[in-house]
Amino acid sequence: MPTTFLVDCDTGIDDALALSYLACRDDVEVAGIVSTGGNVPVDAVHRNNLALAELLGLTVPIARGADQALVEPPMYADDTHGPQGLGHAVLPEPSRAGDPRSGAQLWVDLARERPGELVGLVLGPHTNLALALEIEPELPRLLKRLHIMGGAINHRGNTGPTSEWNIAVDPEAAQRVLTEFATALRLPVLGALQATEQIVFTATELERLEHLAAADSHPVARILADAVRFYFEFHRADGFGWTAHVHDPLVTAHAVTGEFASTRPLAVDVELAGTLTRGQTVGDELGRWGREATVELLTAVRSAEFVEHLLTTLETGLR
Ligand code: RIB
Ligand code: CA
């Protein structure tokens, strides 16, 4: 039986790699996609999701999320992902319209239609999942599991000194999600920066994507190669050299296979009031709060094994 996912993403270069990976897997069914503003504004994310899903053969409901975060003023990462969100890639105009429902309503409807079956995968800010919890407070008990790329636990941030992008864009939403899902049937899996930054694409991986694209293969191969090349240019400009940190696919592949990392329980909450630390995900390693764990944190990442798995899956599926 395939695992059924709802993917909530701010596509984005690594989101596109994750969506492509899911589309290449025979053991995965994508039931729906929610477009959340983050790397680029929500309309650019939505266009990317509609165009990419069509090219990937994902004929599923794709719903546009909210215009902005619950409280935090809008911020975007077009320096990192390009003005349209997929670097140098040029995508065709989607021929299908998005689902008329809101992103939050799509979360609720799909979870109600498939109680206990749907796995949530959040690869961007938590805005629309938080709004879905307002519609359906039972969501944590309707979903089979939730997997999140986000946060930095006792690790430097990539957005503020202590904050990671997906949390920093909408800290109130992230806190609401972690609080409500602490009562879920199984704790959410959290792939934070200390795990996902171990996934580093080198020139070798970029060359493999370029080679796949040059082989007149699937149109998405060219899109991924052109997007990832932009990502390398950003990382080089940001002082990381000719490489790229690829965050979303690790959390996605672990959600599909249970492989490439282990997990450990930890009580995690989100700082909202800190003048210097707003948006920080704080992990209570010593149990000072006396609270139950709220997440299963990804640890012990097997990065080389994962990178090979990701590239091989794309090279096999995007032919
Ligand atoms: O901090 C990395 C995360 O922020 C990734 O999901 C990336 O796509 C951006 O959304
Ligand atoms: Ca993302």
Side-chain angles (χ1 to χ4, degrees), residues 10 12-15 39 81 123-125 149 158-159 164-166 193 231 247-248:
D10 62 337
I13 295 168
D14 56 334
D15 307 73
N39 289 321
H81 294 265
L123 304 177
M149 191 280 132
N158 65 356
T159 304
E164 177 279 329
W165 177 261
N166 289 335
L193 281 188
Y231 211 28
H247 305 276
D248 295 337

Side-chain angles (χ1 to χ4, degrees), residues 137 183 213 229-230 290 299:
T183 61
R229 190 171 67 256
F230 184 98
T299 60

Side-chain angles (χ1 to χ4, degrees), residues 163-186:
S163 61
E164 177 279 329
W165 177 261
N166 289 335
I167 310 302
V169 167
D170 197 340
E172 279 74 15
Q175 186 187 64
R176 188 172 306 166
V177 166
L178 290 183
T179 302
E180 297 304 317
F181 274 82
T183 61
L185 304 173
R186 297 177 68 194

